[in-house]
């Protein structure tokens, strides 16, 4: 693992990591999970991005918190953090590929274009997309989702990222075995920024555009009849992506909408995006739904 990759994980907001682990953070404090605590003795120092318990002495940064809370080793903790925040840690390509592809300078992920020419869904992918997520098959075709299995028989869902002009710029591979790690893997050269950019070519002046966090919510919004894009997370919102969102706001009289996840990171993400898109409208999820995908499944189930 490279130093810059580790730095990405160490720079993740410590309080956001704590909330992803299930801790309730209030006024930079929470109950310490490492001893029988009743007085919120775990303190977060945002300026240093660290935590410390003044009773049991537990301390460290985001990686240390995950290692201790989940009882994981260093590499496992890094993998968990990367999966939770959709951070690319290493270079990777499908293991089932037996014929080496010729190396041509500058091609990057374009070598993977052939995987999406004729998308194919195995049984595990169909169960995940249609039985569990209840997605519209037209959306799955539009997004050109495909699937494959590695040499160990592990099923993966493969999601292409295209730029606005329709050129492949990134590939995300999602492990379809529930609870397995790593949950995500990325080929060499992937740039998984804003997802579903080709939909911008279909927008007309004054239309609504929904912004989701992650592909799954985007698929659900599309299946619900909305035009939608997705960003990986607040920590991965690049300057280029910010400029693109800002240009959309100024070039078209769009109405921007968002269903933030029902947690602190989701609300912080909404506030960050609202600084770029002042007209961004906040839509509240029902109390029993953690994100829009959950909400969409409940609506389809009731229907």
């Amino acid at each position: 693992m490279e130093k810059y990759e580790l730095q990405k994980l160490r720079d993740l907001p410590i309080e956001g990591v704590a909330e992803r682990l299930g801790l309730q953070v209030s006024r930079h404090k929470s109950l310490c999970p490492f001893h029988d605590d009743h007085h919120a003795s775990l303190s977060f120092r945002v300026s240093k991005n660290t935590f410390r318990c003044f009773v049991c002495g537990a301390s460290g940064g985001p990686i240390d918190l995950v290692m201790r809370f989940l009882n994981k080793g260093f590499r496992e903790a890094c993998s968990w953090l990367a999966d939770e925040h959709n951070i690319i840690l290493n270079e990777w390509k499908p293991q089932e590929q037996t014929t080496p592809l010729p190396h041509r300078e500058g091609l990057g992920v374009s070598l993977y274009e052939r995987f999406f020419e004729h998308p194919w869904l195995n049984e595990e992918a169909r169960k995940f997309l249609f039985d569990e997520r209840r997605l519209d098959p037209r959306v799955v075709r539009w997004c050109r989702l495909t699937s494959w299995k590695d040499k160990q028989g592990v099923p993966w869902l493969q999601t292409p990222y295209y730029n606005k002009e329709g050129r492949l710029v990134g590939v995300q591979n999602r492990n379809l075995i529930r609870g397995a790690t790593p949950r995500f893997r990325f080929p060499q050269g992937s740039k998984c920024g804003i997802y579903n950019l080709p939909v911008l070519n279909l927008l007309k002046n004054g239309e609504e555009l929904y912004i989701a966090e992650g592909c799954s919510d985007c698929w659900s919004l599309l299946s619900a009849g909305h035009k939608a894009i997705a960003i990986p997370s607040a920590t991965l919102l690049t300057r280029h992506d910010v400029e693109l969102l800002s240009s959309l706001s100024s070039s078209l009289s769009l109405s921007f909408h968002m269903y933030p996840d029902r947690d602190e990171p989701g609300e912080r993400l909404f506030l960050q995006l609202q600084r770029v898109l002042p007209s961004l409208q906040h839509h509240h999820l029902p109390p029993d739904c953690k994100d829009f995908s959950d909400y969409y499944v409940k609506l389809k189930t009731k229907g």
Side-chain angles (χ1 to χ4, degrees):
M1 192 181 303
E2 300 290 340
K3 288 184 178 179
Y4 76 91
E5 294 175 324
L6 279 176
Q7 196 59 47
K8 284 183 182 180
L9 302 181
R10 290 172 175 148
D11 288 342
L12 290 170
I14 187 67
E15 292 185 347
V17 172
E19 287 161 350
R20 293 265 181 169
L21 289 167
L23 301 180
Q24 299 296 317
V25 181
S26 177
R27 297 180 180 180
H28 309 302
K29 291 185 177 182
S30 76
L31 292 173
C32 180
F34 308 122
H35 73 277
D36 187 18
D37 190 16
H38 302 280
H39 301 289
S41 57
L42 191 68
S43 178
F44 299 95
R45 192 174 180 184
V46 177
S47 62
K48 297 291 185 180
N49 209 37
T50 58
F51 73 94
R52 180 179 178 82
C53 177
F54 292 95
V55 175
C56 70
S59 64
I63 299 175
D64 304 293
L65 182 60
V66 173
M67 288 176 62
R68 186 153 186 168
F69 188 90
L70 298 179
N71 193 29
K72 291 180 177 290
F74 180 79
R75 287 190 173 275
E76 288 179 309
C78 288
S79 178
W80 184 91
L81 275 171
D83 285 350
E84 285 295 309
H85 294 84
N86 203 20
I87 290 176
I88 300 173
L89 280 186
N90 48 32
E91 297 179 352
W92 174 89
K93 59 185 178 180
Q95 296 181 22
E96 96 290 23
Q97 186 176 301
T98 56
T99 304
L101 292 170
H103 175 74
R104 285 177 283 172
E105 192 66 31
L107 283 179
V109 294
S110 64
L111 292 173
Y112 292 82
E113 287 178 347
R114 63 189 180 91
F115 296 134
F116 306 106
E117 291 175 358
H118 303 286
W120 174 79
L121 299 175
N122 56 32
E123 182 180 351
E124 293 85 354
R126 296 185 64 84
K127 179 179 178 181
F128 173 73
L129 296 170
F130 302 129
D131 297 343
E132 297 179 14
R133 297 303 175 99
R134 309 293 295 274
L135 299 178
D136 189 323
R138 293 172 297 178
V139 169
V140 174
R141 289 195 295 271
W142 161 264
C143 295
R144 305 194 68 78
L145 304 180
T146 189
S147 61
W148 61 282
K149 289 186 179 182
D150 61 24
K151 290 181 178 179
Q152 287 71 43
V154 176
W156 296 85
L157 180 69
Q158 201 164 44
T159 303
Y161 279 66
Y162 297 100
N163 62 15
K164 188 178 177 182
E165 291 71 38
R167 182 172 64 86
L168 184 69
V169 295
V171 177
Q172 179 197 79
N173 293 275
R174 179 182 184 130
N175 195 321
L176 291 176
I177 297 179
R178 190 182 299 276
T181 57
R183 188 167 51 152
F184 297 106
R185 280 180 165 175
F186 303 84
Q188 178 180 4
S190 280
K191 296 179 180 178
C192 298
I194 296 180
Y195 175 70
N196 197 35
L197 286 177
V199 79
L200 301 182
N201 299 315
L202 306 179
L203 289 171
K204 298 177 181 179
N205 199 43
E207 281 196 306
E208 296 180 342
L209 179 64
Y210 281 75
I211 300 177
E213 183 179 359
C215 299
S216 294
D217 277 3
C218 186
W219 299 332
S220 296
L221 283 163
L222 292 169
S223 295
H226 302 296
K227 290 177 180 176
I229 59 175
I231 63 172
S233 68
T235 56
L236 293 181
L237 193 61
T238 66
R239 178 179 297 181
H240 176 268
D241 292 339
V242 169
E243 291 174 352
L244 176 59
L245 292 173
S246 181
S247 67
L248 280 175
S249 179
S250 58
S251 62
L252 292 172
S253 299
L254 298 177
S255 174
F256 295 95
H257 301 261
M258 185 176 182
Y259 282 88
D261 291 358
R262 284 185 57 84
D263 54 23
E264 287 296 327
E267 291 298 328
R268 282 201 299 269
L269 174 57
F270 171 79
L271 293 175
Q272 180 178 348
L273 289 173
Q274 196 175 48
R275 289 196 290 270
V276 183
L277 305 169
S279 63
L280 181 62
Q281 298 182 37
H282 188 296
H283 295 270
H284 292 277
L285 293 166
D288 59 341
C289 297
K290 65 181 184 301
D291 54 31
F292 188 82
S293 293
D294 194 19
Y295 181 40
Y296 174 76
V297 169
K298 290 182 184 299
L299 290 177
K300 294 293 289 184
T301 302
K302 291 179 180 178

